[in-house]
Amino acid sequence: MKKAFLVHQESEKKIINKSIQKKKEYQSKSDIIIEKDIRQGRLFIKFPFDLAIKESIKKLDGSWWHQEKKIWSVLMNSENMKTIESIFKGRNMLWVETENPSAKKHRSPLKKGEVELHPNFEKQLKIENKSKNTISNYISQVSHFLYYFRNEDISNLSENKIRDYINYLREDLNYSTSFQRILISAVNNYYRTVYNRDIDRTELPYPIFEKRLPKVISKEDVQKMINVTTNYKHKMVIIMLYSLGLRNNELSILKLKDIDFDREIITIYNSKGRKDRQLPLPTSLIKPLKKYILDFAIRDYFLEGQGEKPYSGSSIGKIVKSAAEQVNVKLPVTPHVLRHCFATHSLEKGVDLRYIQAMLGHKSSKTTEIYTHVSTKKLKSLSNPFDDIKI
C-alpha cells in the first residue's frame, strides 16, 4: 500500500509542477497581474507605472500603497473588480488567487463501486436508534471502505491495513477530523455487526477534535444581510437562524404547529442527540413572523418549497451565503456562523451562559463556554500598556 501512496504522491507533484510552470508562463506574457487574496479579502495589483492608472486605483474602495513591496491593493468586492476591468480594458491582464501552502488540495478519490453491504448492517443501525444522517453517513463511509479493499479478505483485514487507510485519508488527502472519526465508528460498527469482531481501536489513529474558535461576524453585518435581502421568505431564513440560534436542519424541518403564539414559544423536536427543546419567542420577532405566515399561507413546513416540501439545508445555506456576499462580508458566512453570532452577541449583551446553553441545546456547559473566548466587547474595554506609548 505504501508503494501506491508513493506513486500517488509522485503523480501529484508532477501536476503541481506543471501548474506552477504554466502560471509562470502566463505571468511572463502579462504586464498586469491582479492577485486575489481570499484570506485578507484584498486585490493586489501589479502594473507598469502609469500616472493616470495610479490616480484611478487610488480612488478605489480601500486602496493602499504598500511602500516596501511597491504594489497597490484594494478591497476585494464586485464594484472594485468591475472598475479594475474597465481601467485595464484592452490590456493583457492575469487574475490569480493566492495559494495557501499549508492547505492540501482536497479531492475525493473514494468510490463506492458495485460493493454490497450486509443487509444486517442497516437493520442494526435502526435498532440502535441512530439518526437518519448517522445511518446515511455510516453506509457511505463503509461503502467507500469496502470498495477500497475490494480485493482483500475484509473479514480478516488487519488493524495495520485499516490504520494505513485512515492515515492515507488524513495525510495524503486531507480529509477532516469529523470524516475520520465517523469512518472509524462506522467501520467498527460494521465489523461488530457482520463479523462479530471488535476492531482494536487503540491500534487506530483516532483523531482528537481541534479546539477551534467559532467564527463570528458583527451585529452590523447581520443587520446589513437582513436589509439587503428583499425576498421576504429569504429574509425570514436569516432572521430565524440569528434570532433563535437554530441549526440548519432544525429550521429546515420546523413546522407551523411547532410555533405557539399564545405561550410565545417555539418547540424544536428531535434535534441533535434526539433531544427536544423549547425556545422563547423574542417579542420583536412575533410581528414579522405572523406577517410571513399569513403572506405565504404557510400550512405545514415553515419553509415550504415546491410541492409543499421543506427547504433543503443546501438551499438555506445558499440564501445565507448570497446575502453575505452582497454586503461584502469578508468571512464566509454559513447558517452555523449565524448560530455562533446569536450565542456570542447574547453573551456580549450580558445574557447568562446557562441560558445560552439551554437555547442552543448543548448537553455540556463546556461546549457553550467556547463563546467566552470569542466575545470581544469586554476585551476592547480593557486598558493596554501600549496606550501610554507615543509613536
Side-chain angles (χ1 to χ4, degrees):
M1 185 176 293
K2 286 187 176 180
K3 186 177 180 182
F5 293 164
L6 290 172
V7 171
H8 172 81
Q9 287 177 334
E10 285 300 317
S11 62
E12 188 170 305
K13 284 178 183 177
K14 289 179 182 178
I15 293 170
I16 292 171
N17 288 336
K18 284 183 180 179
S19 176
I20 292 171
Q21 184 60 37
K22 192 174 182 181
K23 188 174 177 180
K24 285 181 178 177
E25 289 174 6
Y26 273 124
Q27 288 180 347
S28 66
K29 296 175 183 177
S30 305
D31 60 345
I32 297 155
I33 300 172
I34 298 98
E35 184 178 355
K36 294 181 181 179
D37 191 318
I38 307 297
R39 289 166 295 177
Q40 293 189 47
R42 298 190 72 81
L43 299 171
F44 289 86
I45 312 165
K46 298 178 183 178
F47 60 93
F49 178 76
D50 184 304
L51 186 58
I53 292 177
K54 173 188 169 183
E55 293 302 317
S56 297
I57 297 294
K58 283 173 67 176
K59 295 175 183 177
L60 295 178
D61 189 14
S63 66
W64 189 265
W65 169 247
H66 301 270
Q67 178 63 35
E68 298 299 323
K69 291 191 174 182
K70 307 297 182 187
I71 190 172
W72 284 92
S73 79
V74 299
L75 289 178
M76 187 169 63
N77 56 47
S78 57
E79 190 63 34
N80 275 350
M81 285 193 271
K82 286 179 184 176
T83 307
I84 288 170
E85 288 279 8
S86 176
I87 292 172
F88 296 111
K89 189 176 181 180
R91 302 282 292 274
N92 192 10
M93 283 190 296
L94 173 66
W95 291 78
V96 296
E97 285 193 15
T98 301
E99 295 177 1
N100 183 356
S102 64
K104 298 179 181 177
K105 299 295 182 183
H106 182 84
R107 54 178 59 81
S108 180
L110 306 179
K111 299 177 181 178
K112 297 181 183 180
E114 297 298 324
V115 297
E116 288 187 12
L117 278 69
H118 197 286
N120 287 347
F121 180 51
E122 186 172 354
K123 289 179 183 177
Q124 182 61 31
L125 294 176
K126 289 178 179 177
I127 290 172
E128 293 176 7
N129 203 28
K130 301 288 187 186
S131 69
K132 287 183 179 179
N133 281 343
T134 298
I135 292 174
S136 176
N137 283 331
Y138 274 28
I139 289 174
S140 177
Q141 299 281 36
V142 173
S143 295
H144 292 147
F145 175 81
L146 295 180
Y147 181 80
Y148 189 87
F149 290 108
R150 60 193 179 281
N151 297 322
E152 303 268 359
D153 179 5
I154 292 293
S155 61
N156 293 313
L157 198 67
S158 69
E159 273 86 355
N160 282 340
K161 287 191 174 183
I162 299 174
R163 182 178 64 242
D164 287 343
Y165 172 67
I166 295 167
N167 277 327
Y168 169 60
L169 298 182
R170 179 177 63 193
E171 303 298 333
D172 288 51
L173 304 181
N174 200 34
Y175 276 88
S176 68
T177 298
S178 297
F179 186 97
Q180 297 166 54
R181 289 169 68 97
I182 293 171
L183 170 68
I184 293 171
S185 298
V187 170
N188 190 49
N189 196 305
Y190 188 78
Y191 272 95
R192 188 169 59 248
T193 300
V194 178
Y195 302 112
N196 195 27
R197 168 190 167 188
D198 275 312
I199 295 173
D200 185 358
R201 291 173 72 151
T202 61
E203 294 291 323
L204 303 183
Y206 198 71
I208 299 172
F209 270 124
E210 304 95 336
K211 294 183 179 179
R212 295 179 179 175
L213 293 176
K215 296 176 180 178
V216 176
I217 62 175
S218 67
K219 282 189 284 187
E220 290 75 18
D221 280 338
V222 176
Q223 180 69 69
K224 289 177 184 177
M225 287 173 62
I226 293 170
N227 291 346
V228 79
T229 307
T230 54
N231 182 306
Y232 200 72
K233 180 180 284 190
H234 293 177
K235 189 187 292 284
M236 285 306 300
V237 166
I238 299 169
I239 289 172
M240 294 292 282
L241 290 169
Y242 177 70
S243 65
L244 299 169
L246 298 180
R247 297 181 177 93
N248 192 334
N249 66 308
E250 291 172 349
L251 180 57
S252 177
I253 63 173
L254 183 69
K255 293 190 173 184
L256 180 60
K257 64 182 179 62
D258 302 334
I259 304 172
D260 188 336
F261 284 106
D262 293 331
R263 297 171 61 203
E264 296 187 356
I265 60 170
I266 288 182
T267 304
I268 307 299
Y269 291 102
N270 199 23
S271 185
K272 189 174 181 180
R274 291 189 173 275
K275 295 179 295 184
D276 299 341
R277 72 181 188 279
Q278 290 186 326
L279 308 174
L281 269 176
T283 304
S284 57
L285 180 59
I286 293 175
K287 187 175 179 180
L289 202 53
K290 286 183 175 179
K291 170 180 167 54
Y292 166 75
I293 291 169
L294 289 173
D295 286 353
F296 286 84
I298 303 301
R299 290 176 289 178
D300 188 12
Y301 285 102
F302 182 77
L303 293 175
E304 290 181 350
Q306 292 183 346
E308 297 184 353
K309 291 182 180 180
Y311 267 30
S312 65
S314 60
S315 296
I316 293 172
K318 287 176 183 176
I319 290 168
V320 174
K321 181 182 178 182
S322 174
E325 287 178 345
Q326 286 183 67
V327 296
N328 298 318
V329 178
K330 293 181 182 178
L331 184 74
V333 183
T334 65
H336 214 71
V337 167
L338 292 180
R339 175 175 160 88
H340 291 326
C341 291
F342 161 79
T344 306
H345 298 165
S346 295
L347 189 65
E348 290 179 344
K349 281 179 68 69
V351 179
D352 190 278
L353 199 64
R354 289 170 295 180
Y355 172 79
I356 298 172
Q357 178 188 344
M359 287 283 287
L360 295 176
H362 286 165
K363 183 178 180 180
S364 170
S365 61
K366 289 183 179 179
T367 309
T368 318
E369 283 170 3
I370 193 169
Y371 294 106
T372 61
H373 301 293
V374 184
S375 177
T376 58
K377 190 174 182 180
K378 290 184 178 179
L379 288 175
K380 287 180 179 179
S381 65
L382 295 176
S383 178
N384 188 298
F386 187 69
D387 294 338
D388 302 323
I389 302 296
K390 294 180 180 180
I391 58 172

